[in-house]
Amino acid sequence: MKDYTVFISYRHMPRDIAAAKAIHTKLENFAIPSHIKKTTGIKKVGRCFRDQEELPTSSDLARDILDALANSKWLVVVCTPDTQYSKWCRAEIETFVKLHGRSRVLAVLAAGDPRESFPDILLYDEAEDGSLTEREPMAADIRADSVGQMKQKLKIEKLRLLAPILGVKFDDLRRRARERIFKIALTASAAAVAVFAVFGGYASYQASVISRQNIEITQKNDELERQIIETERQRKIAVENEAEAVRQTRIAMLGQIDLLSELSKNAAADGDRIAGVHLALESADIYDAVFPAGDEKKENGIRQTLEGSVYSSAFRLASPLKNNGRKLGYAEFSPDDSLILCGLGSYNAALFDALTGEMLFTAARNRPYMDNELAFVSFSPSGEFFVTAYGLYTCEIVVWKTGAEPMETASLHVGENYVAGRFISETEIIYGRPNSYDPPAVWNFANDTTRAPSDAERAAFESNPPLMAISGSDTGLFLSPCGVFLYVNGSDFGEPARVYDIAANRCVAELDNADAVYALSNDGNRFLAGSESGFCGIYNTALSATSVTASDGAENIFAYPSYFDVAYTEELFLNSNHLYDTSFFYWMQPYLVNEPSGRFIAIIYPDSYVAVWDLEKNRTEASHIIWEHIGVISAAYMTPRHLVTAGLDGRLMVFDMTSGSLNNIIIENGIISLNLDPDGGRAVAVGRSLSCAYVYDLETGLMLYRLDAEPNDLIDYEQIGFSTDGSRVIVRTQNGLTITGKIFGTFEEVRTAAAKVYPRSSH
């Protein structure tokens, strides 16, 4: 089996092959200076392996290459931008590193930038924890415009490869090479003298020419060397500048993340939930570019805003309408629910983004003051067009083409007053006076013709006349498309509009700041509501919690905390000197709570004194807690070091057993029962009225749900908890009804749900 000094790895591309051949020849034919032979004992460089030279007739190329790698002392990699895409080159490098180590791998830059040409295994060292450290591989630079220039540069750059192979410094080899050139010049000069003795003046002339040429060669070599050094210096500066640019970009992105997060919180606090969510999602997108997947900082920094958007979002204000405080008239969602068209004040129509509430366009006509009032608005079936009509005495109907900048398409002057109308096809509009003996008419704006309606069209118009823009809902009632919810406007000024669950026959929501509902989206997920004061907003309809009957199988999926199963193999005697007024707390008794691992035991006293024992250290009282709230009626361990308690005054408190600090206080009006999810991160608690339960995130203090019992039902405070996988909160009522709510377990689940509830607008 043959031994090789150098194994040359390269792609079979024209430039790579030429470089590999030149390197092969230069290394094998290099004459080692005599003093290096004496100091190192190396007489010659030895054989170099190049597959086209060594394996012309092999029957098993893979096996022969592996043998050659195993029997080679050094690996020289010819690097170009194509090298990283060669599975053979990558396999040869990885195999050689495993056999001989990374320190015996030498790189030759034949083309391209170092970062795009050097394989990653040569640029980075991987630590045991998986982190990467940048390294600078030993490399020779032979990049040139032609093969001839490349070979010329290789005369010097070959010394960078030979230095580590021979175990000497590059400067030593370079000096010896110059001395050798000088000796050659001296030898040539001596020969010239001898010839001069024979040939006289001619030989003397030739000697001077040769000497001058040798000097020029030396000067050119020196200049080439200076150019190589300067090129290397510039390369290092470029690498440093690139690293600094990356660092500055990262700092700028982190600043942008902080700004977007702050703007998100401010928008949510101002009631613009959609803007808050969109800013948080934008911040999450930037985090993806800066931090690796699963980074805790990302999840903790943005999750609270997003959770606030997807939990308890039913019938909550999603985004205020930017209507500048002007009262709305009749409103209509576009067929795809992306736009809202409505009357704005008495004389204008406006187009709004149905997701963000931004005003996109206002349409008004320059007509006499007393004859400029808005009459009606309507979308075509496809949403490509919308119509506005103006005039109290003589009406003008105007058709607009929907777009980023709506364009007026056609108009019709009607000699009628108080005209209402709507689209009945993509190009036809029926219009007329509701409750009038005069028949309606149909206008085709595409060819500007007018016709009489058919009997069916007239019957539909008269039995269900379109609303005028200034009238809103004549009935004050809206039925959702799915037929589940009934929206009822407030009967008196200031009385809130309400939403009723038809099947359950109960009110499920009173709308914030709204006494009238103006329009429902076609999919039933959103609606537009407002008040006489001019406030208007877009509200969510989608429910976060749903009611199911016990027969649906929910009765057997509770997850009980593990402290119920703690068992002790010996009898314990725990003494506490705490005394409390039994006459005042006659109806409550102390009770014991076990920590899941069995290390801590806590006794909860009625006066809120909590005695804690650390069984690993001693059997005496280790710490105690005295809080202001009265009557700790329920307690559980969130983690082995965190105790969660609920009091009659409605506080949930999280206590750190090891440091003695109070981590969180969550106040709700009267809590009498508590339970935790399997991970200890969320709690469900029941209020004193037994009419509702609350679900909290114990780390952020955010209330995720409020689950309400039916009007004539109460919650069974002993039947509250979470499913075994923690994905649902479950509350049972005394009448056997089970109420459940979805819990989003990961940051990505919350992010996906928020993007679904509040999709980003395309306008």
Side-chain angles (χ1 to χ4, degrees):
M1 185 175 296
K2 297 179 182 180
D3 292 328
Y4 300 92
T5 301
V6 175
F7 184 108
I8 302 175
S9 176
Y10 64 100
R11 289 201 72 179
H12 287 197
M13 305 291 288
R15 180 182 291 273
D16 304 55
I17 293 173
K21 285 183 178 180
I23 294 168
H24 191 164
T25 302
K26 293 291 185 183
L27 295 183
E28 283 195 347
N29 295 338
F30 180 74
I32 302 175
S34 58
H35 83 285
I36 294 179
K37 291 181 180 179
K38 292 178 182 179
T39 56
T40 63
I42 301 175
K43 305 302 180 183
K44 60 179 181 179
V45 174
R47 296 175 60 85
C48 295
F49 179 93
R50 184 166 56 87
D51 55 4
Q52 287 188 336
E53 290 290 328
E54 298 292 327
L55 303 174
T57 59
S58 174
S59 60
D60 188 354
L61 291 177
R63 181 70 263 167
D64 290 341
I65 288 175
L66 288 175
D67 291 340
L69 286 168
N71 292 289
S72 296
K73 298 177 182 178
W74 295 86
L75 175 66
V76 172
V77 183
V78 178
C79 299
T80 67
D82 297 323
T83 303
Q84 298 205 51
Y85 304 105
S86 172
K87 67 176 183 179
W88 286 104
C89 290
R90 186 166 60 252
E92 288 168 357
I93 295 171
E94 292 173 353
T95 301
F96 187 90
V97 169
K98 289 180 181 178
L99 294 172
H100 305 289
R102 196 188 305 264
S103 62
R104 287 184 168 267
V105 179
L106 307 175
V108 176
L109 184 60
D113 182 78
R115 286 192 170 275
E116 67 175 347
S117 299
F118 290 158
D120 290 345
I121 193 173
L122 301 183
L123 289 174
Y124 302 96
D125 288 326
E126 185 175 1
E128 293 181 358
D129 60 359
S131 63
L132 298 178
T133 303
E134 188 173 358
R135 67 190 301 270
E136 187 173 13
M138 292 182 289
D141 188 350
I142 62 171
R143 292 175 292 179
D145 296 332
S146 66
V147 174
Q149 292 176 350
M150 178 183 69
K151 291 181 178 179
Q152 183 67 22
K153 292 186 70 173
L154 191 58
K155 290 180 180 180
I156 296 298
E157 290 301 294
K158 70 182 180 184
L159 302 180
R160 295 188 189 275
L161 303 176
L162 287 164
I165 293 174
L166 299 177
V168 297
K169 295 182 179 179
F170 167 68
D171 290 338
D172 191 14
L173 270 182
R174 183 178 58 186
R175 186 175 63 256
R176 291 297 177 181
R178 293 172 61 184
E179 290 175 356
R180 183 170 177 272
I181 293 173
F182 188 71
K183 286 180 180 179
I184 292 173
L186 290 177
T187 302
S189 298
V193 171
V195 173
F196 180 77
V198 179
F199 297 101
Y202 177 77
S204 177
Y205 169 75
Q206 288 297 103
S208 65
V209 172
I210 292 173
S211 178
R212 185 170 65 254
Q213 290 176 344
N214 287 335
I215 293 173
E216 291 176 356
I217 291 173
T218 301
Q219 291 174 344
K220 289 181 179 180
N221 286 338
D222 290 343
E223 179 62 25
L224 180 60
E225 181 181 343
R226 284 194 297 271
Q227 291 177 0
I228 292 173
I229 293 173
E230 177 62 19
T231 300
E232 179 65 16
R233 188 181 72 84
Q234 292 295 338
R235 185 189 68 81
K236 290 182 178 179
I237 292 175
V239 171
E240 291 172 358
N241 290 341
E242 183 179 356
E244 178 63 17
V246 171
R247 190 180 73 85
Q248 292 296 335
T249 300
R250 182 183 177 90
I251 291 174
M253 294 176 75
L254 288 174
Q256 189 176 4
I257 289 168
D258 292 339
L259 175 62
L260 289 172
S261 298
E262 189 65 25
L263 292 174
S264 172
K265 294 176 183 177
N266 292 341
D270 293 339
D272 196 342
R273 293 159 66 88
I274 288 182
V277 171
H278 289 175
L279 288 167
L281 290 173
E282 186 177 349
S283 178
D285 293 339
I286 300 175
Y287 261 116
D288 289 340
V290 179
F291 294 101
D295 187 279
E296 291 184 1
K297 184 178 180 181
K298 173 178 69 175
E299 297 181 3
N300 295 335
I302 306 174
R303 180 167 183 153
Q304 183 172 354
T305 300
L306 296 182
E307 281 188 332
S309 69
V310 295
Y311 290 118
S312 301
S313 60
F315 310 108
R316 295 277 298 277
L317 177 65
S319 180
L321 200 71
K322 281 68 171 182
N323 59 327
N324 300 323
R326 301 174 69 180
K327 183 180 177 182
L328 295 192
Y330 173 71
E332 181 177 315
F333 279 81
S334 63
D336 63 357
D337 291 331
S338 66
L339 299 171
I340 296 174
L341 177 64
C342 61
L344 188 64
S346 299
Y347 305 106
N348 296 287
L351 202 61
F352 293 89
D353 187 310
L355 292 176
T356 65
E358 294 289 339
M359 185 186 296
L360 305 176
F361 177 73
T362 56
R365 306 299 286 176
N366 186 17
R367 293 168 56 85
Y369 173 73
M370 293 300 294
D371 201 19
N372 197 31
E373 217 167 292
L374 189 67
F376 68 87
V377 295
S378 177
F379 275 108
S380 68
S382 70
E384 183 179 357
F385 301 97
F386 65 91
V387 62
T388 61
Y390 308 86
L392 186 62
Y393 303 108
T394 59
C395 184
E396 180 186 14
I397 302 174
V398 184
V399 177
W400 308 80
K401 184 173 177 60
T402 309
E405 296 183 3
M407 297 176 56
E408 182 177 333
T409 302
S411 63
L412 175 69
H413 290 272
V414 182
E416 297 281 351
N417 58 352
Y418 290 106
V419 171
R422 61 168 170 257
F423 275 94
I424 58 173
S425 71
E426 193 62 26
T427 59
E428 290 186 316
I429 300 167
I430 189 169
Y431 65 91
R433 295 180 61 188
N435 305 317
S436 170
Y437 292 106
D438 298 327
V442 176
W443 172 46
N444 187 321
F445 68 85
N447 54 26
D448 196 19
T449 59
T450 304
R451 65 174 176 85
S454 66
D455 292 342
E457 291 169 341
R458 179 173 181 175
F461 180 83
E462 293 177 347
S463 62
N464 184 24
L467 297 175
M468 297 181 69
I470 60 174
S471 65
S473 170
D474 285 348
T475 63
L477 299 176
F478 285 93
L479 183 65
S480 65
C482 59
V484 175
F485 300 113
L486 182 66
Y487 299 80
V488 181
N489 294 345
S491 57
D492 298 319
F493 179 78
E495 183 178 1
R498 293 179 174 85
V499 183
Y500 289 85
D501 185 325
I502 298 175
N505 192 27
R506 67 185 179 111
C507 176
V508 295
E510 291 186 352
L511 303 186
D512 300 332
N513 306 318
D515 53 35
V517 176
Y518 295 104
L520 303 182
S521 65
N522 297 288
D523 61 9
N525 291 332
R526 283 169 293 155
F527 60 93
L528 181 67
S531 67
E532 290 288 336
S533 65
F535 170 82
C536 290
I538 302 168
Y539 292 73
N540 280 335
T541 300
L543 284 174
S544 296
T546 56
S547 300
V548 298
T549 61
S551 60
D552 290 334
E555 67 274 9
N556 296 318
I557 59 174
F558 274 123
Y560 292 101
S562 57
Y563 57 77
F564 286 125
D565 301 324
V566 175
Y568 296 95
T569 57
E570 59 179 307
E571 188 174 4
L572 300 176
F573 295 94
L574 305 176
N575 296 317
S576 176
N577 297 321
H578 178 65
L579 300 175
Y580 66 97
D581 187 353
T582 56
S583 63
F584 182 79
F585 295 102
Y586 67 92
W587 50 281
M588 297 176 66
Q589 296 294 325
Y591 65 94
L592 180 143
V593 177
N594 300 322
E595 181 267 320
S597 70
R599 174 181 173 180
F600 292 103
I601 291 180
I603 294 181
I604 316 297
Y605 289 89
D607 62 349
S608 301
Y609 181 93
V610 181
V612 181
W613 284 265
D614 186 339
L615 300 184
E616 287 189 1
K617 294 183 177 180
N618 49 54
R619 297 297 176 85
T620 60
E621 187 175 345
S623 62
H624 66 272
I625 311 165
I626 299 178
W627 292 319
E628 295 84 3
H629 68 312
I630 300 174
V632 177
I633 49 78
S634 187
Y637 275 93
M638 173 181 171
T639 68
R641 57 179 284 186
H642 292 97
L643 182 70
V644 182
T645 66
L648 287 177
D649 59 354
R651 301 193 198 181
L652 284 179
M653 297 190 175
V654 181
F655 182 75
D656 190 322
M657 309 286 288
T658 56
S659 67
S661 63
L662 190 63
N663 289 352
N664 211 346
I665 299 179
I666 308 170
I667 299 180
E668 192 53 69
N669 185 22
I671 297 174
I672 64 170
S673 182
L674 169 73
N675 206 344
L676 304 184
D677 72 350
D679 295 330
R682 294 180 175 87
V684 55
V686 177
R688 270 185 300 190
S689 65
L690 298 181
S691 62
C692 61
Y694 307 96
V695 183
Y696 282 98
D697 187 308
L698 294 176
E699 293 184 6
T700 64
L702 179 70
M703 186 176 77
L704 307 182
Y705 284 118
R706 170 177 165 163
L707 307 178
D708 295 294
E710 297 289 342
N712 298 320
D713 198 0
L714 296 175
I715 291 176
D716 185 345
Y717 66 89
E718 294 183 344
Q719 292 288 299
I720 61 173
F722 295 84
S723 61
T724 53
D725 60 1
S727 65
R728 301 198 73 81
V729 60
I730 304 169
V731 172
R732 295 210 184 91
T733 70
Q734 295 178 6
N735 289 344
L737 184 69
T738 299
I739 308 172
T740 70
K742 169 70 176 176
I743 299 294
F744 298 97
T746 66
F747 170 78
E748 286 303 325
E749 287 181 355
V750 177
R751 180 176 176 178
T752 301
K756 184 177 181 180
V757 175
Y758 302 104
R760 299 187 218 194
S761 174
S762 60
H763 299 289

